[in-house]
Amino acid sequence: MMRYNMKQVVVGVAAFLAAVAAQAGEVQMAVAANFTAPMKQIAAEFEQATGHKALVAYGATGKFYAQIANGAPFEVFLAADNRVPAKLAEEGRALADTRFTYALGTLVLWSAKAGLVDEQASALREGRYNKLAIANPRVAPYGVGAVEVLTALGLLEAATPRFVRGENIAQTYQFVSTGNADLGFVALSQVMEEGRIPKGSAWVVPGEMHQPMRQDAIVLTKGKDNPAAQALMAFLRSDKARAIIRSFGYGLE
């Protein structure tokens, strides 16, 4: 009968764990604020599936561009548009052949108040509100989309004096959820749960009212030799990640 030396067993287990830890890595990510909720789930699934850990910062796409241009240590960027990743690639700050559309965003006019927003956006059209929250269009693509919608409706001039501008779409949502703005243009992913919008009232903006919200991912030059960055990009294309993305109301290509 084979007998085991306990000391040898402990040393063997420690060596195995050390080997696993050595293979696992980390990837520094910059992620658009609208993608916060799905990314938290994806990061957890990614770590469980691969052992790699995603270290994620959330914020406005425009501000991340400035940080990356100034040497921020991000290795993967999930933007709220496709323009900024393309620009980073053109400037040599990202790897052009890694860029792909990970999600198609949806804009929604939302209020924390039940019954204020209907499917015709009557409160917006008729001016029955005090403050309207939008993300700052200078740095946030969802803010650009909001301006395009208001322009299409012929309401931009009337609405501008009532704007409450969020630094990013997360702060914009906060303005509306706390009642500091009566209604606001936010990402559908921020208000959707299990395929529906359970709180407040909403109008899902038809896609033809603004430019397509193609959200691209790209590996930055700082991540070109990081296996964890490559694994993360592959995982974003997996069935598991795509199911999570779809569950938050995003479209997929």
Side-chain angles (χ1 to χ4, degrees):
M1 182 176 180
M2 186 177 293
R3 295 187 178 182
Y4 294 95
N5 181 296
M6 184 56 67
K7 185 176 181 180
Q8 290 178 326
V9 171
V10 171
V11 170
V13 171
F16 172 75
L17 293 175
V20 171
Q23 293 177 2
E26 296 180 343
V27 53
Q28 299 271 357
M29 299 183 64
V31 175
N34 75 85
F35 205 64
T36 300
M39 188 63 225
K40 287 181 177 179
Q41 287 192 22
I42 290 170
E45 294 286 351
F46 171 65
E47 183 173 0
Q48 184 175 6
T50 68
H52 298 306
K53 188 174 183 64
L55 305 177
V56 189
Y58 300 98
T61 291
K63 289 202 168 185
F64 278 137
Y65 169 78
Q67 292 173 12
I68 292 165
N70 285 306
F74 298 121
E75 297 168 297
V76 171
F77 184 26
L78 271 59
D81 67 1
N82 60 354
R83 182 184 61 84
V84 172
K87 185 177 181 181
L88 288 167
E90 290 171 3
E91 295 171 345
R93 305 180 195 278
L95 309 181
D97 61 352
T98 66
R99 182 165 70 97
F100 76 98
T101 300
Y102 67 91
L104 300 171
T106 301
L107 195 64
V108 61
L109 180 69
W110 180 72
S111 174
K113 302 174 184 177
L116 179 60
V117 179
D118 60 20
E119 293 184 0
Q120 291 73 43
S122 301
L124 179 66
R125 295 175 188 268
E126 298 168 9
R128 290 186 281 108
Y129 65 93
N130 291 318
K131 296 294 181 182
L132 172 67
I134 72 166
N136 185 346
R138 290 183 299 176
V139 295
Y142 275 74
V144 174
V147 170
E148 291 175 344
V149 173
L150 290 167
T151 301
L153 293 172
L155 299 174
L156 182 60
E157 185 177 351
T160 299
R162 305 189 193 189
F163 281 171
V164 179
R165 290 180 176 83
E167 182 176 307
N168 52 51
I169 202 67
Q171 188 177 58
T172 306
Y173 169 80
Q174 186 178 19
F175 286 150
V176 185
S177 66
T178 57
N180 288 314
D182 303 290
L183 64 171
F185 286 100
V186 300
L188 179 60
S189 59
Q190 294 174 296
V191 297
M192 177 173 277
E193 295 179 17
E194 298 179 353
R196 65 189 185 92
I197 302 173
K199 299 177 183 177
S201 51
W203 170 54
V204 179
V205 178
E208 61 269 19
M209 295 190 73
H210 56 78
Q211 292 295 312
M213 306 189 80
R214 301 174 66 88
Q215 302 192 193
D216 281 8
I218 197 165
V219 176
L220 302 170
T221 53
K222 291 182 184 296
K224 65 179 180 179
D225 297 321
N226 184 354
Q230 298 166 13
L232 187 280
M233 293 293 276
F235 190 78
L236 280 172
R237 296 175 183 266
S238 70
D239 290 342
K240 181 164 287 188
R242 287 168 65 85
I244 293 170
I245 293 168
R246 192 180 293 110
S247 73
F248 281 91
Y250 291 95
L252 293 167
E253 290 193 324

